[in-house]
Amino acid sequence: MVCLGNICRSPLAEGILKSKVNSKEVFVDSAGTGAYHVGNRPDLRSIAIANINGIDISKQKARKFEVTDFDDFDLIYVMDRSNYRIVCEQARNENDKAKVKLILNEIMPGEDVEVPDPYYGGEYGFKNVFNMLDEACTVISNKLNPNG
Ligand code: 4NP
């Protein structure tokens, strides 16, 4: 799961998907395309909306996306088109690039809708982001765990 800062959107996406898959079978992680917040905990507003929904993301620490992530992950879900462009620029071949997907295309195929950056917005932004990511992660988890 990749966003810009790895403190608002992608930590939520990581926590939500982890809550829906078997951790013995599926490894989920997140990263940012920017380095501003490396080493930081998620934004308190993301921690709060996750908590309300029974998910603890408070122990996560931000890191920057790196090219070796293409080796370590089969799927790379990005939150917006800027993340998509920056991650794809680092792809070494078509196989790497094919791993990169806009996460909301899971629920709105082909529409290239972005997860809005809630960093400068109010609390509703985080609730809205949580709900979008929850829907998308349900679809992703159903694909990853076809037998539940
Ligand atoms: P995120 O949100 O990409 O969802 O983690 C942001 C967090 C911090 C900044 C931008 C977006 N920032 O510019 O510091």
Side-chain angles (χ1 to χ4, degrees):
M1 300 298 187
V2 178
C3 64
L4 171 58
N6 193 208
I7 56 166
C8 297
R9 291 165 292 177
S10 58
L12 277 174
E14 176 187 334
I16 293 167
L17 187 59
K18 277 182 171 163
S19 77
K20 296 178 190 288
V21 297
N22 181 340
S23 63
K24 294 196 178 78
E25 292 174 0
V26 183
F27 179 67
V28 185
D29 195 17
S30 64
T33 56
Y36 326 99
H37 296 281
V38 166
N40 292 356
R41 303 289 181 197
D43 189 286
L44 291 176
R45 296 163 295 178
S46 284
I47 292 176
I49 194 69
N51 258 337
I52 289 169
N53 290 280
I55 296 171
D56 180 12
I57 64 166
S58 65
K59 312 271 183 322
Q60 293 185 28
K61 275 194 182 170
R63 70 174 180 90
K64 191 166 185 279
F65 178 84
E66 47 197 354
V67 73
T68 51
D69 286 318
F70 286 113
D71 299 321
D72 296 338
F73 295 90
D74 300 313
L75 294 165
I76 298 171
Y77 286 106
V78 296
M79 302 294 127
D80 64 33
R81 291 190 286 265
S82 166
N83 310 147
Y84 183 85
R85 181 177 50 76
I86 291 167
V87 171
C88 284
E89 277 169 7
Q90 297 174 66
R92 299 155 301 184
N93 51 49
E94 286 305 308
N95 188 44
D96 285 355
K97 186 160 182 258
K99 295 181 175 185
V100 188
K101 298 166 191 297
L102 271 170
I103 192 165
L104 293 185
N105 278 348
E106 294 293 325
I107 48 175
M108 290 170 273
E111 293 192 23
D112 293 350
V113 174
E114 303 182 299
V115 180
D117 184 346
Y119 188 61
Y120 296 105
E123 192 187 331
Y124 179 72
F126 283 78
K127 199 169 170 182
N128 186 33
V129 164
F130 184 95
N131 290 339
M132 290 175 175
L133 292 175
D134 191 49
E135 264 192 63
C137 287
T138 295
V139 174
I140 294 168
S141 69
N142 286 339
K143 286 185 184 170
L144 295 173
N145 289 333
N147 304 314

